[in-house]
Structure formats: C-alpha cells, structure tokens
Amino acid sequence: MALPIFPNFCANLKSNHKPVLARISNGSVPATASPSSKRYKPFEGKPEADVVVIGSGIGGLCCAGLLARYQQDVLVLESHDRPGGAAHSFKIRDYEFDSGPSLFSGFQSRGPQANPLAQVLDALGESVPCANYDSWMVYVPEGEFLSRIGPTEFFKDLEKYASQDAVREWQKLLDAVLPMSAAAMALPPLSIRGDLGVISTAATRYAPSILKSFIQMGPQGALGATKLLRPFSEIMDSLDLKDPFIRNWVDLLAFLLAGVKSNGILSAEMVYMFAEWYKPGCSLEYPLQGTGAVVDALVRGMQKFGGRLSLESHVEKLLVENDRAVGVKLRNGQFIRAKKAVVSNASMWDTLNLLPEEAVPKSYQDRIETTPQCESFMHLHLGFDSEGIPEDLGIHHIVVNNWDRGVDADQNVVLISIPSVLSPNLAPPGKHVLHAYTPGTEPFELWEGLDRRSSEYKKLKAERSEVMWRAVERVLGPGFKRENCEVKLVGTPLTHQRFLRRNRGTYGPAIQAGKDTFPGHSTPIPNLYCCGDSTFPGIGVPAVAASGAIVANSLVSVSQHSQLLNAIGI
C-alpha cells in the first residue's frame, strides 16, 4: 500500500565499517544529490507520439501498455532512473528492496472477475510468477496471532482474542457481504470507458451477468448491492454491528486498502477485497522477483507492442495551444508533441502545477486545491543477517499500538514486509530484506520547511522512526540487533515530496465515499487525461490499474475496445 522512497539519503552499510551514501535506485552515488538540480540527459528518439504519458507508475504503465496493444504510438516519460513510481524496486549491496506495495492477490485470476492488473497483464501477454501464502501476523492490544485468509480461519482468532459477539457479527458481515461480490465484480473495469461507448462495451455486454448476479442474491442481497457506491460503514450499521474488535478490524482493512476508514471507503472496494480474502480457495501472492517484477512485466508488455519508455525525462510543463493539450516541455528544454492526447499519471496537485495558469479554469483549480490529502509516510528499509531470527518468520506483519487512537492516527500502526522469507533471492545468502512503514499517517506539517542537512531534521528523523524500530524488534525477537544491520535506510515525508514529486509527500486524495467522489479521467482541457490514485476508482494497486485501463479504452474506438475484451475472454 505504501508509496516508494528513492534511497537518496544516508544509508549505513556495514562493510568494512565504512558508511556509504545510497543515492539513487541502482545504488550508485551521483555527483548531484537532488533530482531537482541534476542535469537530465537529452531525449533520444522521435520527439512526438500519438499519446504522451507523464509518469511510469502502475496506472501510467497500464494505460501505456494497453494503448500500445491498441496500436497507438505511445511514449512514457519518467523523471527518475527507473520505472515503477510507487511500485519500483531498488538494489543496494545485493539487497533488493520493495519501495511500496507488497501485499497482492489476484495475479493468477482470469476472466471477467479478475483483478484489473491481472487483466492488463493478460492483455499484454505477460505474467508474474508468484509465491502463494495465506496469512500474516497481527500484533494488536488484545494479543498476537497469525491471521489467515479464507472463510473459516479468522473465527478461531475471534474466539480467542475477541468474543462470541465478535464471532457472530463477523459471520453476519460475511453472510451479507460475500453475496454482493457477484454484483461488485460483474462489471470488469477493463470494460469501462469515458464516453457513451461504455453502453456497448459495458452495459449491454454485461447486462445478463449483472442481472443474473442480482437474481442470485435475492431481494435482501440486491438491496444491499444498491449501497456499493456508499460508505462501507453504512452496510455495517445496517447490520447493527457494534463489537469494538470487528469495527476496529474493518477500519484497519479499509485504511490499508484506501487510506480511509470504513466510513470513507466505497462499499464496492471492500466487497471486492472480502471476495478475494474471505472466500474458499483464496490466497495472497508475492512476486518471486519482488514488486519490481510487476513493473518489469508491464514495461515488457508495452515495449512488445511498440510502446516507448524514456527514463530521466523530467516533464517541466504541459503545453496548451488553442485551449488544447498538445505536448510537454522537458526540463532539458526539449519539446515532445502529442498528436492525440497527453495522459498525466502524476497526482492532481502536481498535474495542476504543470499547467499554464492561464489555461486552467478557476473551478477546476479550486476543486483540486480544496481536495483533502492523505498524510505521508515514514519508511525503514533494512538488510540484516538471518542468524538468530525465527525460522518460521512470516512475510507480513501488522502492528497496532492502540485501537482507541484510531488506525489513522500517527505513530500508531506499523506495517512490516519481509519478502526474502518467500523469495530468498532478494537478499544475499543467509540474509533478509525488510521494509517497515507507517501507512499514510505521518503529518507533513512536522517536516515542512526543514533543511535536510540540519541537525533538527536528523533529530526528528531519529525520533519519528523509533516506532518502526520498536515494531521490527517486536517482530524479529531478541536475536535481532539494530546495530548489526548491514543496510539501514530511513525515509521521511520530505523524501516523498522530493523524489516522488508528490505534493506535500501525500499518499493521495483523502476523498470520503458519500461526501465526495474521485474525479473522472478527462479534464476541462481537451486532450488532457489523468490516471492514477487521483482519479476514479481511487487509491490502491487494483484501482490505479483500472484507472489506466479506462483512459486507454477512452482513446480508441469502441470496435477496438470490444476486440480486446474478446481477445482476453472477458
């Protein structure tokens, strides 16, 4: 769920006891410390394309890959030295680190109800080999337990750590929610487009399956399905669910999924998640080569169909002529023309800053500037020896310090991923890689205006990372010693702002279901589209993959779109 951090900050690498600066994603140390001050290489290749995509996050790559599959000339411009945005990986001293999301499911799914990212990969003829698992460790005030996905296992945890009321309420919730999943998943995201052609590619095409799902649910289930675009808390309230553990647990799941609690997340998102995690035969998946393997597969698929990717190509400005988006200007001064469209995979705030002020309608500017933001992150990346570490260590761990403060409170929830448990090749023999982070709860205000070289910044960095160190020590046990780590990387909200070019280091828009809606993908400026976590359906890997697909579909004919759906069997 986390955003990436580019390791351009001090890393203590224990090799001959000499500290090394880890500056960029490939572990080398460039002469300049800041991407904003570095010189960008000249753009190579044809300086025009049918569609120019700004940014190579999951959303941007899904959009570009499908456009290439649609035989469009597409060019992706990425500011950094490697693609992936929030999902990129980086290597330091043979330790391969994930920078962001690490909790996946649905890679192996196919058909209309498949994960949107899996559908895009399928369209590109690519796959991501994964390890399967079914549990993560949970550390909550009530105790520590191994939480397993599936329809029955969680009941045992509820009996031991909660109450019989919690058991009954969880069963009541599953009975109400799982039947809704047929309706929530009856319309594949890849069938959606942003024009009236959606009547053909989605409404007409899938009307029989949608109708069938409503009939199967019965009157009560069909009534519940009408709430799919309302906050999930309304479904819980309608079921009279009051057990504190159940309410807290669902808030935690919602927050990990979308950065808001159950009173702010769309019911459709939660129902989809419940279907992937709590139905018979479900499993979680981790890419055997790390999260970067997902990015590599999307890039391969795009390039296979003729799409282009240009790294270290920082977009300075969006070009608008005759009130239409016509291309971009790079920081090195070069111009890239877009014959059909420009697609921004940047956040809404950063996209706004790329536009000429005179080209932006005031209503559009006002909406963006008044959209609330999720907070930022603290990150801890570690490489360490596995000696003295429990052999039955799991890949994922969630630490909640205090339910009463809320899962969205700062310094309260820590997520830990140790992917070398399932993929030993991500670390040197006998070693582990670890990524710990506070999930979108770190206030930017604490860091705003600080000089990264100052003692004040370093002191705050040490203070605010301590909650992650304590969580790691709790998970790894007494055999772990922080001073023995061979790699130590700490990232702050300023890291996000500086290297991800994210306004205030934000995780994304804090848009609450029932109060507001995520923006669509078109903009008031003709030929300018947006995809990613600032657009519908919102935050999270499946959501941004869907957003990229929707934009790509919107830029081609209904006939081409329908042919693609036929080709991948949905």
Side-chain angles (χ1 to χ4, degrees):
M1 129 175 201
L3 287 172
I5 59 173
F6 288 81
N8 195 338
F9 42 88
C10 188
N12 297 316
L13 303 171
K14 291 195 67 177
S15 179
N16 299 323
H17 305 288
K18 294 180 180 179
V20 177
L21 287 178
R23 290 297 189 190
I24 56 178
S25 300
N26 60 14
S28 62
V29 184
T32 55
S34 170
S36 61
S37 63
K38 68 186 282 189
R39 285 190 174 186
Y40 283 84
K41 66 180 183 180
F43 175 80
E44 299 177 356
K46 183 176 63 173
E48 69 174 13
D50 291 335
V51 181
V52 172
V53 178
I54 303 172
S56 66
I58 294 290
L61 289 177
C62 285
C63 179
L66 289 179
L67 284 169
R69 175 75 162 73
Y70 285 129
Q71 299 182 326
Q72 301 293 301
D73 179 18
V74 60
L75 170 63
V76 179
L77 300 172
E78 170 56 51
S79 179
H80 294 291
D81 66 331
R82 61 177 51 197
H88 85 279
S89 296
F90 61 92
K91 179 177 282 190
I92 296 178
R93 296 288 178 83
D94 294 325
Y95 288 94
E96 186 85 19
F97 291 100
D98 292 336
S99 60
S102 59
L103 187 62
F104 297 98
S105 62
F107 273 123
Q108 312 308 318
S109 59
R110 292 294 181 270
Q113 296 188 350
N115 185 301
L117 178 56
Q119 291 179 340
V120 172
L121 289 169
D122 198 23
L124 298 179
E126 295 291 335
S127 60
V128 179
C130 292
N132 292 79
Y133 64 104
D134 65 355
S135 62
W136 65 87
M137 275 298 297
V138 177
Y139 307 77
V140 293
E142 290 85 353
E144 303 174 5
F145 58 91
L146 185 69
S147 178
R148 296 187 184 277
I149 64 172
T152 60
E153 294 295 329
F154 190 50
F155 288 104
K156 301 173 185 177
D157 301 324
L158 292 175
E159 288 177 357
K160 184 173 182 180
Y161 297 102
S163 65
Q164 284 300 317
D165 284 341
V167 171
R168 285 189 292 271
E169 290 196 3
W170 185 251
Q171 184 65 67
K172 193 175 182 180
L173 183 60
L174 292 183
D175 289 343
V177 166
L178 291 181
M180 294 183 202
S181 64
M185 303 169 76
L187 191 66
L190 254 67
S191 70
I192 302 174
R193 51 189 293 125
D195 57 24
L196 291 178
V198 72
I199 297 173
S200 173
T201 61
T204 302
R205 186 183 185 97
Y206 298 101
S209 61
I210 295 173
L211 179 61
K212 181 180 178 181
S213 69
F214 273 85
I215 293 173
Q216 290 175 338
M217 286 188 293
Q220 185 173 357
L223 179 62
T226 62
K227 300 178 181 178
L228 289 174
L229 298 182
R230 299 291 301 168
F232 190 68
S233 60
E234 292 186 4
I235 291 179
M236 298 180 68
D237 292 340
S238 69
L239 297 171
D240 198 29
L241 305 185
K242 297 179 179 179
D243 183 83
F245 189 92
I246 296 298
R247 302 292 303 211
N248 286 328
W249 184 257
V250 173
D251 272 347
L252 178 63
L253 294 178
F255 194 76
L256 298 181
L257 184 63
V260 291
K261 295 193 293 188
S262 61
N263 62 353
I265 192 171
L266 281 174
S267 293
E269 288 188 75
M270 287 295 284
V271 169
Y272 188 94
M273 183 274 294
F274 267 80
E276 287 207 327
W277 287 14
Y278 294 109
K279 274 190 172 181
C282 56
S283 70
L284 299 171
E285 298 162 317
Y286 181 79
L288 289 175
Q289 301 302 318
T291 301
V294 179
V295 176
D296 292 342
L298 289 170
V299 171
R300 279 196 313 271
M302 176 190 69
Q303 293 177 337
K304 179 196 309 179
F305 289 99
R308 294 179 284 158
L309 169 66
S310 180
L311 301 175
E312 297 183 272
S313 297
H314 177 70
V315 173
E316 187 96 302
K317 285 293 179 184
L318 264 159
L319 301 178
V320 178
E321 295 177 359
N322 298 319
D323 298 325
R324 307 178 78 84
V326 297
V328 300
K329 177 185 177 183
L330 302 182
R331 176 162 286 170
N332 63 16
Q334 290 179 279
F335 294 87
I336 310 294
R337 286 285 172 177
K339 291 186 284 185
K340 178 177 283 189
V342 177
V343 179
S344 177
N345 189 205
S347 77
M348 61 169 67
W349 303 279
D350 297 290
T351 299
L352 179 64
N353 290 335
L354 292 176
L355 285 164
E357 188 173 348
E358 65 275 10
V360 181
K362 188 174 186 307
S363 58
Y364 183 63
Q365 179 178 345
D366 288 347
R367 171 165 187 183
I368 291 174
E369 291 179 345
T370 56
T371 297
Q373 294 181 339
C374 295
E375 298 288 6
S376 191
F377 291 78
M378 290 294 298
H379 286 267
L380 182 65
H381 285 89
L382 303 176
F384 55 94
D385 199 297
S386 60
E387 185 176 354
I389 305 301
E391 293 185 1
D392 60 349
L393 191 65
I395 177 175
H396 285 117
H397 306 257
I398 300 175
V399 179
V400 180
N401 293 313
N402 187 331
W403 287 127
D404 291 338
R405 291 192 63 216
V407 295
D408 54 351
D410 67 305
Q411 302 273 289
N412 192 33
V413 176
V414 178
L415 273 64
I416 298 172
S417 173
I418 313 170
S420 49
V421 167
L422 295 179
S423 299
N425 57 303
L426 298 178
K431 312 288 185 179
H432 277 307
V433 291
L434 181 149
H435 177 205
Y437 56 94
T438 57
T441 58
E442 182 66 9
F444 184 80
E445 288 76 12
L446 296 176
W447 303 85
E448 192 167 13
L450 289 180
D451 184 340
R452 294 177 296 100
R453 296 162 294 185
S454 68
S455 58
E456 182 183 4
Y457 176 76
K458 294 174 183 176
K459 181 174 181 289
L460 186 62
K461 194 174 179 180
E463 290 174 354
R464 300 297 288 184
S465 63
E466 185 62 26
V467 68
M468 297 183 293
W469 280 109
R470 290 198 303 268
V472 168
E473 289 167 342
R474 181 177 180 182
V475 166
L476 298 182
F480 171 79
K481 305 296 181 186
R482 63 175 78 177
E483 60 271 17
N484 292 337
C485 289
E486 297 176 8
V487 180
K488 302 177 187 177
L489 301 170
V490 177
T492 73
L494 295 187
T495 313
H496 281 274
Q497 182 187 45
R498 183 171 172 233
F499 286 95
L500 296 185
R501 311 195 185 285
R502 298 283 294 193
N503 183 272
R504 298 174 64 81
T506 182
Y507 181 35
I511 294 175
Q512 292 200 327
K515 296 182 179 179
D516 202 352
T517 58
F518 274 87
H521 307 94
S522 61
T523 71
I525 299 168
N527 297 352
L528 174 62
Y529 296 81
C530 295
C531 67
D533 58 23
S534 285
T535 64
F536 177 84
I539 293 174
V541 171
V544 299
S547 76
I550 293 169
V551 173
N553 297 337
S554 303
L555 292 172
V556 300
S557 69
V558 170
S559 174
Q560 287 176 288
H561 187 181
S562 297
Q563 288 172 14
L564 177 67
L565 296 176
N566 291 336
I568 60 176
I570 63 171

